[in-house]
Amino acid sequence: MTGTVYKSTGSWYTVKTLNGKFYECRIKGRFRLQGIKSTNPISVGDIVEFELEAKNNTETGVINRIEERKNYIVRKSVNLSKQTHIIASNIDQVFLLVTIDNPPTFTSFIDRFLVTAEAYSIKTILLFNKIDTYDEETLLEVKYLASVYRQIGYECIDISATTGKNVDKVKALMLDKVSMFAGHSGVGKSTLVNAIEPSLDLKTKAISQQHMQGQHTTTFAEMFDLSFDAKIIDTPGIKGFGVVDMEKEEVGDYFPEFFALKQDCKFNNCLHLKEPKCAVKNALENDEVSYSRYRSYIQILEGENEHYRTDNWDNE
């Protein structure tokens, strides 16, 4: 039988078949060892083949094959430095939720996420949430940040999951697609999903005042079928986003504005660091490239993974 993984809880996977029936499935022990370095060999969005088995009058499935993935979003596993964690696969687009404060989303996090999405050709739309809670100064920060990413070609939308501002715009973009929602804990993913599809009634939690960070309300990624011909993958809040499986020479290609300038660099293998006649460095000096983006690039190149939790973009 063939189906799509809708939920993964570590050892069990909820799989939906083409005829709409759900089965709880597990994987064979050997399956884990086939050279897969990921902490989760199967992720939400995977198309899998499985066989049914009956035990104690209960029918469950045993997964024996994963079909080749169209794409996936992967990051460094938080606890196991040499392993990766696939957040979801076979995605049409990602909505990355960004908040300026309560909790803050730093550009280093946004850029790491975008680089990974670019590497797998996944369209990403930035949603600046909680727009109804910001004062004038913070709204100017939103405007500035959105302009940085719009200039590069990313769609940016101001939204409020609580008041419903521009939620219809998001829904329109989701039609006929599998959309993944991502961002830090507390940025309002579950609130937004509930605004889009109230019948889902996902749990939401208040921001932890002690650390001004969101509390994890979603512990596992899960796919939902929506009432308006769309699918959504809700994901756990991500604290840090470590970039994996990238050669230094290719990182710049996933910064669209750097890639556009690359042909004007003196050396075709230019890393945009200390090389002479570098078009990217030249654009940086002329304020044609954002300093925060260049800094994120350097950090990814140097593998400064501790920065992806702490870096700020205040020092423009």
Side-chain angles (χ1 to χ4, degrees), residues 29-59:
R30 278 179 317 196
F31 198 84
R32 291 179 179 276
L33 306 173
Q34 292 175 356
I36 299 170
K37 286 184 182 174
S38 173
T39 53
N40 56 330
I42 294 174
S43 72
V44 168
D46 277 339
I47 312 288
V48 295
E49 285 180 11
F50 64 98
E51 292 166 8
L52 289 177
E53 59 178 22
K55 272 185 188 171
N56 306 326
N57 297 328
T58 307
E59 226 176 13

Side-chain angles (χ1 to χ4, degrees), residues 100-126:
I100 300 298
D101 53 32
N102 198 23
T105 307
F106 302 132
T107 48
S108 53
F109 173 83
I110 298 170
D111 295 336
R112 284 168 186 275
F113 194 98
L114 292 177
V115 161
T116 297
E118 286 285 340
Y120 293 98
S121 304
I122 302 170
K123 181 185 179 182
T124 305
I125 297 151
L126 298 180

Side-chain angles (χ1 to χ4, degrees), residues 10 143 237:
K143 202 172 177 183

